[in-house]
Amino acid sequence: MNHLAIYGGSVTLPPRYFGSIAYYALMAAYPEATIALGTLYDKRQKAVHRCDIADTHGPVSLTAAVGKPHGLRMARWADVPLSAHGRWWHIHRVTLESAYGRTPFFEYYADAVLPLIPEVTVPPGEAAETIATLDRRIDETLRPLLGIETEVTHAEEPANGSLREAANAPLITRLEATIAATPYYQVRADRFGYHPNLSALDLLFNLGPESPLYLRRILSSLK
């Protein structure tokens, strides 16, 4: 049983690259969730391969480079390969170490998180890992660290992501507003103020094992 769930039934979510606190709060609110890796490819859905963190001078976006799903009329995110462009994985690892190296729990979680960011190499005759596969691996690592016991299914069938996001939008908006009004400890808040609605990595590195308590506090506002 998911000890954070406040609703019955299930929720369907798009894949996310180190998803936001609101994303994981929404997932935790239900006993069951489906992550639709088969969401139709839409380059406007940046959060599938981008996350926001708090760097040494404020919020910054980390973007995993992806290729185009050539030759597919109805391409899914499950068809979109990672790209080696710009050696983005090195930038992500270095930026995370710089941004969170002095947080209370970075060393505690770094060995679980940093290896998730892959160096993209494609041997001849082989295809690159897809962004959906990477997002799934990230999700399967983050959920237990956040204390989320939601039963999650990953589905690769084609699905319309815009309709699903529209259905979740009102609740996500409420969650984001609550997170913005409910500061948690951030290592540089005394200099730069509180930055809400970042990747769940920010919550983990700053609060560690207390992250589930923060999620419970946020979800209690929805009852």
Side-chain angles (χ1 to χ4, degrees):
M1 177 179 295
N2 181 4
H3 69 288
L4 295 175
I6 60 172
Y7 299 130
S10 64
V11 64
T12 300
L13 300 168
R16 286 290 181 260
Y17 181 70
F18 292 111
S20 69
I21 299 169
Y23 176 84
Y24 278 104
L26 178 58
M27 182 188 296
Y30 291 86
E32 298 178 0
T34 297
I35 298 180
L37 304 180
T39 299
L40 297 181
Y41 169 70
D42 183 341
K43 64 181 180 180
R44 296 170 297 181
Q45 296 178 0
K46 301 297 185 182
V48 177
H49 60 109
R50 176 184 296 174
C51 69
D52 296 321
I53 66 166
D55 199 2
T56 53
H57 293 93
V60 65
S61 295
L62 299 178
T63 302
V66 295
K68 294 183 178 180
H70 294 293
L72 296 174
R73 186 175 64 84
M74 297 289 284
R76 310 161 300 160
W77 282 106
D79 301 313
V80 176
L82 294 170
S83 168
H85 180 72
R87 290 177 53 83
W88 59 269
W89 57 89
H90 175 71
I91 295 171
H92 289 204
R93 293 173 187 169
V94 170
T95 303
L96 286 171
E97 290 172 352
S98 173
Y100 294 110
R102 294 189 178 184
T103 55
F105 296 98
F106 179 76
E107 291 186 1
Y108 186 79
Y109 294 115
D111 287 345
V113 170
L114 295 184
L116 294 172
I117 304 170
E119 179 177 350
V120 180
T121 57
V122 185
E126 295 186 18
E129 179 181 29
T130 69
I131 184 60
T133 301
L134 173 59
D135 287 353
R136 174 174 182 167
R137 191 165 68 249
I138 289 171
D139 170 67
E140 291 174 339
T141 299
L142 291 192
R143 264 186 289 123
L145 300 181
L146 292 165
I148 297 174
E149 298 172 1
T150 300
E151 184 177 340
V152 173
T153 300
H154 294 85
E156 295 195 7
E157 295 80 8
N160 190 318
S162 61
L163 293 178
R164 179 173 44 261
E165 295 210 28
N168 291 329
L171 192 49
I172 284 284
T173 298
R174 287 181 62 194
L175 286 167
E176 289 177 342
T178 302
I179 292 167
T182 313
Y184 58 89
Y185 172 80
Q186 291 178 329
V187 70
R188 299 183 187 87
D190 58 339
R191 285 192 291 162
F192 302 115
Y194 170 60
H195 297 299
N197 297 311
L198 300 175
S199 166
L201 288 178
D202 190 81
L203 187 67
L204 277 173
F205 291 145
N206 282 294
L207 290 193
E210 294 185 7
S211 298
L213 298 178
Y214 181 80
L215 290 178
R216 181 182 293 278
R217 183 180 176 189
I218 295 304
L219 292 173
S220 67
S221 70
L222 302 181
K223 295 182 179 179

